[in-house]
Amino acid sequence: RKEVEQDPGPFNVPEGATVAFNCTYSNSASQSFFWYRQDCRKEPKLLMSVYSSGNEDGRFTAQLNRASQYISLLIRDSKLSDSATYLCVVNGRGYNKLIFGAGTRLAVHP
Amino acid sequence: EPEVTQTPSHQVTQMGQEVILRCVPISNHLYFYWYRQILGQKVEFLVSFYNNEISEKSEIFDDQFSVERPDGSNFTLKIRSTKLEDSAMYFCASSEEDLDTGELFFGEGSRLTVL
């Protein structure tokens, strides 16, 4: 089983749509969880951390289910500028490295 | 806003040549990393560096790779004898704290093409 698994997409959605991405991770010892965004041929940038209680940042909502080892990202009211690849990222306790999923590509069209 | 800077942005080299990729992490950061991304594939961890020594490395980081912090600001990745499969984007990153609590900041990357 891959350490971090994501649906590669692409998700093609119209502006204003709500879209959800899912991610599963294999290491039950993982303690920190993140969503990163990567634009084409650019560096990954932190979008948001994911907390056990779930958290929201504007149009973005992240959820974590430790029992199922599952992370989600919900984007509401999609904008053209949201078009990018969204990377699910985890860190294990005692390990100072991030493990990246392969990413889910989102294309928002007018 | 402070940022991680990398040079060169793109390097083309012949197979078997040595390559050094350079990075200047954010000045008050203590943890440094190299990641790579082969075109169309995921971002992969190579090595982490703290207190002037390697703290972790992946299976990819074999004897052909080395890292160094030669002075107080630069952090370099050396590939001794490049192979075709080393062609990738190499990202340097740094964090102020360890990754249990700290955020990772990436540079814009150095694209390495091995011919």
Side-chain angles (χ1 to χ4, degrees):
Chain A
R1 184 179 171 186
K2 290 181 184 175
E3 289 182 282
V4 180
E5 201 146 3
Q6 297 182 248
D7 181 341
F11 283 59
N12 293 299
V13 303
E15 275 184 290
T18 295
V19 62
F21 304 138
N22 303 320
C23 167
T24 56
Y25 60 94
S26 61
N27 185 357
S28 59
S30 295
Q31 291 295 316
S32 306
F33 310 92
F34 311 91
W35 284 100
Y36 275 70
R37 170 193 168 129
Q38 186 174 30
D39 293 294
C40 189
R41 293 180 176 254
K42 296 285 191 179
E43 76 275 22
K45 290 186 178 176
L46 180 66
L47 179 66
M48 59 196 301
S49 301
V50 186
Y51 304 118
S52 295
S53 53
N55 48 300
E56 190 173 304
D57 183 2
R59 298 181 293 110
F60 300 86
T61 301
Q63 297 278 352
L64 168 65
N65 183 324
R66 285 185 186 271
S68 303
Q69 294 177 207
Y70 170 92
I71 307 162
S72 67
L73 176 69
L74 184 77
I75 305 176
R76 289 181 299 278
D77 189 23
S78 299
K79 312 286 184 198
L80 295 175
S81 56
D82 293 334
S83 297
T85 297
Y86 290 83
L87 309 175
C88 178
V89 184
V90 307
N91 184 34
R93 179 186 287 280
Y95 295 100
N96 201 36
K97 63 180 181 183
L98 298 185
I99 307 299
F100 284 77
T104 299
R105 198 152 59 86
L106 172 67
V108 182
H109 57 83
Chain B
E1 185 180 318
E3 57 183 18
V4 176
T5 57
Q6 291 185 240
T7 53
S9 56
H10 188 192
Q11 180 154 356
V12 181
T13 191
Q14 295 290 326
M15 194 168 56
Q17 294 297 304
E18 176 182 283
V19 160
I20 297 177
L21 305 179
R22 291 182 167 79
C23 170
V24 179
I26 295 173
S27 61
N28 64 329
H29 285 188
L30 302 177
Y31 299 83
F32 315 114
Y33 314 82
W34 283 100
Y35 284 77
R36 80 168 186 193
Q37 187 174 32
I38 295 170
L39 188 64
Q41 298 187 24
K42 66 178 183 176
V43 177
E44 299 175 293
F45 169 78
L46 292 179
V47 65
S48 59
F49 192 87
Y50 170 71
N51 202 25
N52 283 320
E53 61 182 23
I54 290 174
S55 47
E56 268 190 89
K57 60 182 181 179
S58 71
E59 291 175 356
I60 302 167
F61 194 88
D62 61 22
D63 292 344
Q64 292 300 310
F65 290 86
S66 62
V67 289
E68 200 176 35
R69 189 155 161 83
D71 52 44
S73 60
N74 289 287
F75 178 52
T76 62
L77 174 69
K78 182 193 290 186
I79 309 174
R80 254 180 279 284
S81 177
T82 49
K83 303 189 279 285
L84 295 176
E85 54 264 37
D86 293 328
S87 295
M89 181 74 93
Y90 289 80
F91 292 109
C92 176
S94 69
S95 61
E96 189 173 1
E97 301 164 334
D98 69 43
L99 294 180
D100 278 347
T101 51
E103 179 182 342
L104 196 61
F105 292 84
F106 284 88
E108 292 187 341
S110 292
R111 179 166 298 284
L112 176 65
T113 302
V114 182
L115 302 175

